[in-house]
Amino acid sequence: MVDFELDSLQKRAEQGDAEAQFYLGVMYYSGNGVELDITQAFELFKKAADQGYFFTPKRLVETQYNLGVMYYSGKGMVQDYKKAFEWYMMAAKQGFVEAQFKIGGMYYKGEGVNQNNRRAVEWYTKAAARGNSDAIFFLGDMYANGWGVKQDYEKAFGLYKKLAGMEVAEAQKNLGIMYDNGLGVEQDSEKAFEWFMKASWNGDAEAQYYLGYMYDSGKGVEQDYEKAFGWYMKAAEQGQSSAQYNLGVMYSNGKGVKQDYEKAFEWFMEAAEHGNSDAQYNLGNRYYNGENYRAAVYWYTKAADQGNIYARKKLGESQKKLAIEQYNLGVMYDNGHGVEQDYEKAVYWYTKAAEQGHNNAQEKLVIAQYNLGVMYDSGKEVEQNYAQAFEWYTKAAKHGHAEAQYNLGVMYDNGHGVEQDYEKAVYWYTKAAEQGHNNAQEKLVIAQYNLGLMYDSGRGVKQDYARAFEWYTKAAEHGHVEAQYNLGVIYDNGHCVEKAVYWYTKAAEQGHNNAQEKLVIAQYNLGLMYDSGRGVKQDFARAFEWYMKAAEHGHAEAQYNLGVMYDSGHGVEKDYEKAFEWYAMAAKQGDVNAQYNIGFMYDNGRGVAHDYEKAFEWYTKAAEQGHAKAQFYLGIMYHKGIGIEQNYEKAFEYYKKAAEQGDMWALKRLPLVRSQMNEHRQKMKSNSGTV
């Protein structure tokens, strides 16, 4: 294309001309007249497709199909089967045969859409009806195998035959197979031979193998080993493994070719490496007879994995002989018999023998692994290496060696040779302890506690209070005092106070400094719960019991609550004198409610001799801490001059404080005392002669 024509096309494309965008996209896609640029082609095709109303139907469908191809292949953009399917479907619905075939394939493979053989058949049928040879062939396969459609060999045969006349080699080969086996047609070895021959001349490797086999067996044609050899060779050179195996057989037996064991071996190896199980089994036999048991096991295993029953039988025999050799080598290295002592090599050979099922090898292997761990751990006879020690202890520990399990626990506990991990330390200490290891139990408990701390604080692990609780419990049950205390705290904060008391008591009995204080608080909280019926059935007697325990240890609020119970007769016989005693204890510790109640009892002579001055004193203490009722009664005493000289201003001050906290009686008295206070001020001014 002349440059000015290209320039014109580019300008039209830039101006939104869909046809120009399409043609320019074709040029970039093919590299015709411009430098190949798949990405640019994609962008132009997409722009053109988005303006489909400018297209002739043919151009539109071609663009849609090309976009599908580009998304499917990933040329010029990120591969996207789903989008490829969408664009192919647009073109397919408009009758574009190549797109119909592609849609069939995507349904068959489940690419960009859910796998659906029935839909695959539907689209292959549409494309086949319009002469698409690939669709015809795949449709034949679907009928032959019953994929997405009822199996029908006759239909498959008809489809393959249609293609065979078009010299499609694979269809010709399939016709040969169907004639050979009588599928969809009467069995006819001679016709099978004819079709295999046609496919072979068209280069089909599998057909060449079948043709070789027919000459080899004399089926459908006069037996001819040399011709069999020739066709096997053609197929083998294309990588056909059955042909490669049969070439090995022919060289081995001197049939159709001069006997040559080396070439036989080469072809057996070639076939075996291409996955032919017969060849793999054959190689296994050769190595077994040559007492190379390792190689024999390798090839028998390959064949056995493909279901070769003879290989499975021989595999067991080979493994036993190989295991004996490997075990003996292990013993020599382990004991230094005939070789320099080397635990690492002993482990290697014991492992090999154990893998083959040798009875004694496993026990020896574990001991050797542990010994290696000790050597690296201590630096004895080798350079000290905690990482290597860890590795060998792990191997032995996993096989149940108690000392290795204990040592592994120590390494995780201390972070030697591995990142510190108390949870894994606990795991291995537990394993060792279960086998009766003397030191493991003590270490186990410490590690359990440390794990509880880590989960509690989120140190080194994601914070998890449930896991912290779990590990504290394990350690606490084994008598760890800090764990017992922490467990008490958890129960305390979770409002399960009775259990908190249990664990605080356990810790306190072992002399824990903070446990006694927490124990007293927990006892008080239990009293509260029984008193209020929160979380337990209300029981004043039990409340009294727990308040008493806490009060005897000096808990002010418990002392106050005991006073309330004696005062009200809840949970205990009413006794004002005892109420006064407990209020007094709490009041001396600054409990505001107790201070108010002491004031009230002095004010009313309940449980104690009537004494307004002492009432005034205790009301004042409570009022200074903001107690509304104390402020109200203090207001009354100032207002009426009870226990103190009458003072309207002070009365007004305390009424106001109480009223601001919602005391309605104080609020009602404010107007009166304000009036009296003002009258008193006027009177004072008059008496002083002030205008």
Side-chain angles (χ1 to χ4, degrees):
M1 179 178 283
V2 182
D3 286 344
F4 74 83
E5 291 178 339
L6 177 60
D7 289 342
S8 173
L9 196 62
Q10 287 175 328
K11 284 179 182 177
R12 285 169 54 206
E14 288 169 3
Q15 291 168 6
D17 187 312
E19 189 174 16
Q21 290 167 342
F22 171 75
Y23 279 116
L24 200 56
V26 171
M27 292 173 71
Y28 277 114
Y29 188 73
S30 63
N32 182 18
V34 292
E35 188 176 346
L36 183 75
D37 189 334
I38 300 297
T39 303
Q40 183 67 10
F42 170 76
E43 291 300 327
L44 287 162
F45 281 144
K46 193 170 187 305
K47 286 179 181 179
D50 289 341
Q51 300 186 73
Y53 60 89
F54 284 107
F55 277 81
T56 63
K58 182 181 179 184
R59 293 301 181 212
L60 174 60
V61 77
E62 286 174 358
T63 304
Q64 291 166 337
Y65 175 74
N66 286 337
L67 284 169
V69 170
M70 294 171 81
Y71 272 119
Y72 188 87
S73 65
K75 285 185 178 179
M77 76 291 297
V78 176
Q79 190 178 51
D80 189 329
Y81 289 136
K82 191 173 181 181
K83 287 186 178 178
F85 181 85
E86 290 171 4
W87 286 109
Y88 280 146
M89 183 59 81
M90 289 181 201
K93 285 180 176 178
Q94 295 177 70
F96 198 77
V97 65
E98 287 85 354
Q100 292 172 336
F101 170 68
K102 294 285 188 182
I103 287 292
M106 294 186 84
Y107 271 119
Y108 175 68
K109 296 175 185 175
E111 293 173 338
V113 67
N114 291 333
Q115 200 278 341
N116 189 325
N117 283 335
R118 186 180 61 78
R119 297 302 303 275
V121 168
E122 178 185 328
W123 285 101
Y124 282 147
T125 302
K126 290 178 187 289
R130 302 189 63 193
N132 185 284
S133 59
D134 289 329
I136 294 169
F137 181 79
F138 278 100
L139 195 57
D141 279 354
M142 303 296 273
Y143 276 109
N145 293 287
W147 294 332
V149 68
K150 185 178 179 181
Q151 193 174 50
D152 189 330
Y153 290 121
E154 288 184 13
K155 281 191 178 179
F157 182 87
L159 290 163
Y160 290 144
K161 191 162 187 180
K162 188 174 183 179
L163 290 177
M166 299 162 62
E167 297 300 320
V168 176
E170 200 167 359
Q172 293 170 332
K173 174 197 69 183
N174 285 357
L175 283 178
I177 292 171
M178 297 185 87
Y179 271 117
D180 197 21
N181 294 285
L183 301 174
V185 66
E186 189 177 345
Q187 199 278 338
D188 190 327
S189 298
E190 290 183 7
K191 285 189 177 178
F193 176 83
E194 289 175 17
W195 285 111
F196 284 142
M197 180 63 78
K198 289 181 180 183
S200 295
W201 284 118
N202 282 315
D204 188 285
E206 198 172 356
Q208 292 167 344
Y209 160 72
Y210 282 123
L211 201 57
Y213 179 77
M214 295 188 89
Y215 275 117
D216 196 358
S217 61
K219 185 180 180 183
V221 66
E222 188 177 346
Q223 193 173 50
D224 189 325
Y225 293 129
E226 289 185 11
K227 286 185 179 179
F229 179 85
W231 285 110
Y232 283 149
M233 182 61 75
K234 287 182 183 293
E237 287 171 348
Q238 291 194 70
Q240 216 283 339
S241 65
S242 296
Q244 292 168 338
Y245 170 72
N246 284 358
L247 279 178
V249 172
M250 296 187 89
Y251 271 117
S252 186
N253 298 327
K255 195 164 65 173
V257 66
K258 185 179 178 182
Q259 194 173 50
D260 189 327
Y261 292 120
E262 287 186 14
K263 286 189 176 179
F265 182 82
E266 288 173 13
W267 283 110
F268 284 139
M269 182 62 75
E270 192 76 22
E273 288 175 348
H274 278 93
N276 186 281
S277 67
D278 290 328
Q280 291 164 342
Y281 173 66
N282 188 290
L283 281 177
N285 284 338
R286 287 168 181 263
Y287 281 117
Y288 182 87
N289 294 331
E291 297 187 358
N292 185 341
Y293 299 118
R294 190 181 304 180
V297 165
Y298 175 82
W299 287 112
Y300 283 144
T301 301
K302 290 279 188 186
D305 287 345
Q306 295 193 68
N308 190 305
I309 57 173
Y310 302 107
R312 286 177 183 170
K313 183 179 178 182
K314 293 290 284 186
L315 178 60
E317 296 173 13
S318 301
Q319 286 172 328
K320 286 178 183 177
K321 294 198 174 185
L322 177 60
I324 293 168
E325 288 183 356
Q326 293 166 335
Y327 175 74
N328 290 340
L329 270 173
V331 171
M332 291 172 73
Y333 278 112
D334 199 359
N335 300 309
H337 291 165
V339 292
E340 188 177 346
Q341 192 175 46
D342 188 327
Y343 286 123
E344 205 152 345
K345 287 184 178 176
V347 164
Y348 175 82
W349 288 112
Y350 284 144
T351 302
K352 290 290 183 184
E355 287 170 353
Q356 308 295 337
H358 194 286
N359 293 333
N360 300 325
Q362 188 61 48
E363 182 182 347
K364 292 280 192 180
L365 168 63
V366 175
I367 296 168
Q369 288 169 335
Y370 169 70
N371 287 340
L372 268 172
V374 171
M375 289 169 68
Y376 280 112
D377 198 1
S378 63
K380 183 183 176 183
E381 298 180 25
V382 293
E383 186 178 346
Q384 192 174 50
N385 187 324
Y386 290 127
Q388 284 285 317
F390 172 81
E391 181 183 334
W392 289 110
Y393 283 148
T394 301
K395 292 177 186 290
K398 285 179 178 178
H399 287 107
H401 195 285
E403 285 291 339
Q405 291 169 339
Y406 173 73
N407 288 356
L408 205 55
V410 171
M411 295 188 87
Y412 274 117
D413 204 352
N414 300 320
H416 285 167
V418 65
E419 189 176 346
Q420 193 173 48
D421 188 327
Y422 289 120
E423 197 155 353
K424 288 183 178 174
V426 164
Y427 175 83
W428 288 113
Y429 284 145
T430 303
K431 288 285 185 185
E434 285 170 354
Q435 296 195 67
H437 195 285
N438 293 332
N439 300 324
Q441 187 61 44
E442 181 183 347
K443 292 279 192 180
L444 170 62
V445 175
I446 296 168
Q448 288 170 333
Y449 169 69
N450 286 339
L451 263 175
L453 277 183
M454 290 171 72
Y455 279 113
D456 201 358
S457 63
R459 176 174 57 83
V461 294
K462 185 179 179 182
Q463 194 171 50
D464 188 330
Y465 294 123
R467 297 298 303 278
F469 173 81
E470 177 187 334
W471 289 111
Y472 282 147
T473 302
K474 290 178 187 290
E477 287 171 350
H478 287 105
H480 194 284
V481 62
E482 289 290 343
Q484 291 171 337
Y485 171 72
N486 288 359
L487 207 55
V489 172
I490 290 173
Y491 276 119
D492 204 353
N493 294 333
H495 308 298
C496 188
V497 187
E498 200 152 356
K499 288 188 177 178
V501 167
Y502 173 83
W503 287 112
Y504 284 143
T505 303
K506 287 284 186 185
E509 286 170 355
Q510 294 194 67
H512 193 285
N513 293 333
N514 299 324
Q516 188 60 48
E517 181 185 344
K518 290 282 191 179
L519 172 61
V520 173
I521 296 169
Q523 290 168 336
Y524 165 69
N525 286 339
L526 262 176
L528 276 182
M529 291 170 70
Y530 280 112
D531 199 359
S532 64
R534 178 175 55 83
V536 293
K537 185 178 179 181
Q538 192 173 49
D539 187 331
F540 293 125
R542 294 297 303 276
F544 178 83
E545 177 188 334
W546 286 109
Y547 283 147
M548 183 62 76
K549 290 178 187 288
E552 286 172 346
H553 286 101
H555 193 282
E557 289 175 77
Q559 292 168 341
Y560 165 74
N561 285 357
L562 275 179
V564 170
M565 296 188 87
Y566 275 116
D567 203 352
S568 62
H570 283 164
V572 65
E573 189 176 344
K574 187 181 288 191
D575 188 326
Y576 292 131
E577 289 184 9
K578 286 188 178 179
F580 180 84
E581 288 174 14
W582 286 111
Y583 284 147
M585 290 183 198
K588 285 174 184 176
Q589 295 191 69
D591 187 285
V592 64
N593 293 314
Q595 290 170 340
Y596 164 72
N597 282 3
I598 287 288
F600 186 84
M601 294 184 90
Y602 274 119
D603 195 2
N604 293 281
R606 193 163 75 183
V608 65
H610 197 100
D611 190 327
Y612 288 125
E613 289 183 7
K614 285 189 177 179
F616 176 83
E617 178 188 337
W618 285 107
Y619 280 148
T620 301
K621 290 179 185 288
E624 286 172 352
Q625 292 194 68
H627 195 286
K629 277 293 178 189
Q631 291 166 342
F632 171 68
Y633 281 112
L634 206 55
I636 290 175
M637 296 184 88
Y638 273 116
H639 193 181
K640 296 182 177 181
I642 300 172
I644 189 72
E645 186 179 348
Q646 190 178 49
N647 187 326
Y648 292 123
E649 290 188 359
K650 283 282 189 182
F652 181 82
E653 177 188 336
Y654 280 106
Y655 282 149
K656 187 171 183 294
K657 286 182 178 181
E660 286 173 347
Q661 293 193 70
D663 191 294
M664 298 304 296
W665 291 105
L667 186 64
K668 288 178 180 180
R669 285 177 177 267
L670 277 175
L672 174 62
V673 77
R674 182 186 290 112
S675 173
Q676 290 173 333
M677 181 175 67
N678 290 336
E679 286 176 11
H680 180 69
R681 284 177 180 171
Q682 284 296 116
K683 186 177 180 181
M684 293 295 291
K685 286 178 183 180
S686 297
N687 291 338
S688 64
T690 305
V691 178

